[in-house]
């Protein structure tokens, strides 16, 4: 039997609540992997993205990851959120299979740049294409491949909105993928430096952008979109591990 490839893990924490998107409020243990094929201008998790922090990413086996999840959850099966960075670049299939045998559910969020055959084994696949404000350009062929790979999992799309250009872009993307339930959220324009999770959040600014986004959606009659805040940011700011 071939030994499983190690998984680069930035942090494992919880239980807490999922702070955004379709599973907002659900009790969750987070597995944040290290490494990303994107570098978004407003990234709020550079400690799991920038290779300068690579030495802080622990190589872990699927068994070790599951042991930590079970320790944190007290052995009570709950939702495990696989995030990053881009968790799709890590070999997470065996973690999902192990967890399922023990009653855990798995959700993964990715920008949709790398498709993996184990996407179909997820309970939920969250595809989050990055808007123009990120400075990244979406490869739609790769995104379509992620949708194809995720058949069998519940799939939703989440788009972060910072400005009018992002909003107009999101409307076009929604028209391209009407089959995907859509969640919109105002972006955090005060993300933390990698080593300072006490960095101040402009909550008033986030609230104003939330109202702006809700007004836009309702005035345009874009009733297929659901607008939600980043609940964890509202509760804890930029603090890590919550």
């Amino acid at each position: 039997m071939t030994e499983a490839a190690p998984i680069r893990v930035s942090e494992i924490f919880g239980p807490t609540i999922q702070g955004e998107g379709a599973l907002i409020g659900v009790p969750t243990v987070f597995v944040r992997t290290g490494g990303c094929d994107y570098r978004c201008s407003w990234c709020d998790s550079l400690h799991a993205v920038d290779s300068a922090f690579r030495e802080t990413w622990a190589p872990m086996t699927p068994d070790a990851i599951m042991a930590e999840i079970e320790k944190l959850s007290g052995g009570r099966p709950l939702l495990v959120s696989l995030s990053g960075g881009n968790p799709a670049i890590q070999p997470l299939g065996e973690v999902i299979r192990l967890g399922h045998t023990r009653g855990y559910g798995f959700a993964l969020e990715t920008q949709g740049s790398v498709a993996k055959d184990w996407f179909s084994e997820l309970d939920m696949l969250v595809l989050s294409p990055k808007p123009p404000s990120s400075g990244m350009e979406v490869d739609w062929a790769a995104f379509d491949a992620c949708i194809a790979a995720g058949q069998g999992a519940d799939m939703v799309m989440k788009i972060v909105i910072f400005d009018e250009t992002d909003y107009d872009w999101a409307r076009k993307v929604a028209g391209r993928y009407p089959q995907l339930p859509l969640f919109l959220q105002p972006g955090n324009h005060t993300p933390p430096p990698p080593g300072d999770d006490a960095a101040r959040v402009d909550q008033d600014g986030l609230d104003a952008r939330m109202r702006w986004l809700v007004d836009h959606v309702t005035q345009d009659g874009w009733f297929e979109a659901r607008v939600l805040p980043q609940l964890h940011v509202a509760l804890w700011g930029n603090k890590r591990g919550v």
Side-chain angles (χ1 to χ4, degrees):
M1 181 176 177
T2 303
E3 186 175 350
I7 298 161
R8 290 177 296 175
V9 176
S10 173
E11 55 187 340
I12 302 177
F13 63 90
T16 182
I17 57 167
Q18 173 57 256
E20 58 190 51
L23 297 169
I24 192 168
V26 176
T28 303
V29 169
F30 282 84
V31 177
R32 186 182 295 282
T33 62
C36 191
D37 50 328
Y38 271 28
R39 184 65 179 272
C40 297
S41 61
W42 33 253
C43 180
D44 61 359
S45 55
L46 277 173
H47 62 285
V49 169
D50 194 328
S51 59
F53 297 90
R54 189 184 185 96
E55 290 184 1
T56 69
W57 305 338
M60 297 181 70
T61 65
D63 284 321
I65 291 172
M66 277 308 309
E68 183 64 17
I69 291 170
E70 290 184 296
K71 176 183 174 183
L72 290 171
S73 68
R76 295 177 61 184
L78 43 67
L79 176 70
V80 178
S81 181
L82 304 170
S83 64
N86 182 6
I89 66 177
Q90 300 294 330
L92 292 167
E94 186 58 25
V95 175
I96 296 165
R97 288 186 281 273
L98 275 174
H100 277 162
T101 67
R102 301 172 193 182
Y104 290 82
F106 288 84
L108 178 141
E109 181 172 328
T110 177
Q111 60 263 42
S113 57
V114 178
K116 292 292 180 68
D117 56 5
W118 45 260
F119 281 3
S120 63
E121 300 177 54
L122 290 162
D123 296 279
M124 179 170 283
L125 174 60
V126 181
L127 295 167
S128 183
K130 304 310 178 189
S133 63
S134 70
M136 299 290 102
E137 186 170 343
V138 177
D139 179 341
W140 294 113
F143 194 84
D144 291 343
C146 288
I147 292 176
Q151 297 302 314
D154 286 338
M155 273 187 284
V156 301
M157 186 162 59
K158 188 193 81 179
I159 301 178
V160 177
I161 306 293
F162 278 85
D163 53 31
E164 196 83 41
T165 300
D166 285 354
Y167 179 84
D168 292 341
W169 181 88
R171 292 207 69 178
K172 292 175 183 175
V173 173
R176 179 173 179 144
Y177 299 103
Q179 78 277 23
L180 296 178
L182 176 64
F183 296 82
L184 304 177
Q185 71 183 42
N188 180 4
H189 56 287
T190 50
D196 182 13
D197 69 352
R200 178 182 173 273
V201 168
D202 177 16
Q203 190 60 50
D204 289 342
L206 281 171
D207 292 346
R209 185 176 285 117
M210 181 74 177
R211 290 190 292 270
W212 169 84
L213 187 53
V214 170
D215 287 345
H216 252 39
V217 167
T218 53
Q219 289 167 10
D220 290 342
W222 190 9
F223 302 137
E224 298 78 15
R226 184 175 299 181
V227 182
L228 292 172
Q230 286 184 299
L231 182 56
H232 58 291
V233 174
L235 293 175
W236 295 294
N238 284 317
K239 184 176 176 61
R240 285 170 55 179
V242 291

